[in-house]
Amino acid sequence: MSYEARMSTLRHFVRHYSRCPSVSDIVLVWNKGRPPVPELDFDSAVPVRVRLEPLNSLNNRFKVDPLIRNRAVLSLDDDIMMPCSDLERGFATWRMDPTKMVGYYPRLIEGTPLEFRGERYSIERGKYNAVLTGAAFLDTWTALPAYWSPAVAPARAAVDRVFNGEDLLMNFVLANASVGAPGGAAQHPAIEFMRPTRRVDISKLSGVGISHNWNGFMTTAQDYLANFTATFGYVPLQSHNFNWGHFSPPFCAITSLGCVYL
C-alpha cells in the first residue's frame, strides 16, 4: 500500500522484492496522489499492477481482489526492507498452515483497558499475541473475506475514523476465527512470528509515517482497541512464546531505531 510521497523508496523496494524467487507479481495499493506507470517507473523482474483506490483508507490493504491469482499474499509496507531469504523462510512456514498469518513484527497487546505496546515490550516479556501486517503472509481465500464480514463493519469504521489499526483488526479477525467463541480454546494458532535475519524499517529514519507522535498514537490505539473489543464482544488474541531456535533475540536498546535484527 503506497502513495506519491513514498515513490523515492518504492522504486528501490520494487526492484528488490521482484527478484525474490517466490514473488510472481506485485500489486501496489495506491491510496492518493499521482499513480506511477509501472513500465516507466519501476525496474521489476515480475509484473507490477497499480490498484487505484477511490478512498484513502487503510482497509484497502485487505480488499478482496479477484485479479490476485495466488492464495498467498505478502502484505508489505513500502518502507520495510528484508532479504529475500527471510521472505522465502516465511513463505515456507506459511505453506505448512495457510490459515495462519506469518509475520515479522511481533506485538503484545494487553492490559485493562487494552494497550498497544512496542516491539521491545513484547521481546522483554518473551511472548506475543499479534503480528503487524506491515510484513506478513496472509491467505486470500480466508483472511481477506473474513476481514470484510458484515459483523466486522463497526471495527472497519473505527479504522477509517482514526486512520490506524487495520493490522491489529486483522489479528482480531483471525484469532476470533481460531477461537470461535468467548472463553474458547484456540483450535489452531492464528499467527506465527518469523524472526528476520535482517530487517530495516525506513520509517524510523524518515518523517513519513502515522506513528511518529507516540503519545497521540497510543491514545488512538486505545480508542480502536476498545472498539474492536466491543465489536467482537471479547479479546480473542492468544499469547505465544518466542522460539528463537539458533538465533538470538534482537537488540532493542536504542528506542529511536526500534529492535535491530542481526
Side-chain angles (χ1 to χ4, degrees):
M1 189 158 63
S2 195
Y3 53 96
E4 193 171 3
R6 307 266 201 173
M7 275 298 297
S8 60
T9 57
L10 186 59
R11 290 187 179 94
H12 178 62
F13 289 178
V14 167
R15 186 182 190 281
H16 168 69
Y17 286 112
S18 74
R19 286 160 171 80
C20 296
S22 295
V23 174
S24 64
D25 57 316
I26 295 173
V27 179
L28 301 177
V29 180
W30 204 260
N31 271 349
K32 66 178 180 178
R34 180 180 61 87
V37 179
E39 297 80 6
L40 300 177
D41 289 325
F42 301 118
D43 173 15
S44 177
V46 301
V48 176
R49 174 166 62 94
V50 179
R51 195 178 80 204
L52 297 176
E53 298 292 350
L55 177 68
N56 184 13
S57 168
L58 295 178
N59 291 312
N60 293 336
R61 176 191 293 271
F62 306 124
K63 184 175 288 185
V64 176
D65 186 339
L67 296 182
I68 293 177
R69 300 173 298 163
N70 301 324
R71 182 174 182 181
V73 168
L74 174 64
S75 171
L76 188 67
D77 282 353
D78 54 8
D79 52 11
I80 304 299
M81 178 62 74
M82 297 184 298
C84 288
S85 57
D86 285 347
L87 186 154
E88 297 298 326
R89 285 193 303 116
F91 183 39
T93 300
W94 175 86
R95 283 183 297 178
M96 290 188 288
D97 182 0
T99 63
K100 181 191 300 182
M101 180 164 63
V102 177
Y104 300 84
Y105 281 83
R107 292 292 186 270
L108 183 62
I109 312 302
E110 61 181 7
T112 306
L114 281 182
E115 290 189 27
F116 182 100
R117 306 278 191 166
E119 186 170 11
R120 179 177 178 176
Y121 179 87
S122 177
I123 299 297
E124 289 176 343
R125 281 150 184 79
K127 59 183 180 178
Y128 64 98
N129 60 7
V131 293
L132 302 187
T133 59
F137 283 96
L138 289 162
D139 181 9
T140 61
W141 293 3
T142 59
L144 303 190
Y147 187 90
W148 288 95
S149 164
V152 184
R156 292 195 303 271
V159 169
D160 281 335
R161 176 169 51 80
V162 301
F163 204 72
N164 211 322
E166 84 287 356
D167 44 9
L168 292 185
L169 178 53
M170 179 59 83
N171 279 269
F172 267 71
V173 167
L174 297 179
N176 178 66
S178 174
V179 173
Q187 300 171 18
H188 60 84
I191 61 171
E192 182 171 342
F193 167 65
M194 173 61 56
R195 186 211 188 276
T197 57
R198 295 193 308 278
R199 193 192 70 191
V200 178
D201 186 347
I202 303 300
S203 70
K204 297 290 184 182
L205 309 175
S206 73
V208 180
I210 59 177
S211 59
H212 286 275
N213 178 356
W214 185 250
N215 289 334
F217 175 79
M218 288 292 288
T219 300
T220 298
Q222 283 193 337
D223 183 337
Y224 66 66
L225 286 170
N227 182 286
F228 298 171
T229 302
T231 298
F232 288 86
Y234 72 120
V235 179
L237 305 178
Q238 304 286 311
S239 293
H240 309 275
N241 294 325
F242 286 109
N243 178 13
W244 299 113
H246 60 280
F247 293 109
S248 60
F251 176 75
C252 301
I254 304 176
T255 304
S256 60
L257 294 178
C259 290
V260 177
Y261 290 81
L262 299 171

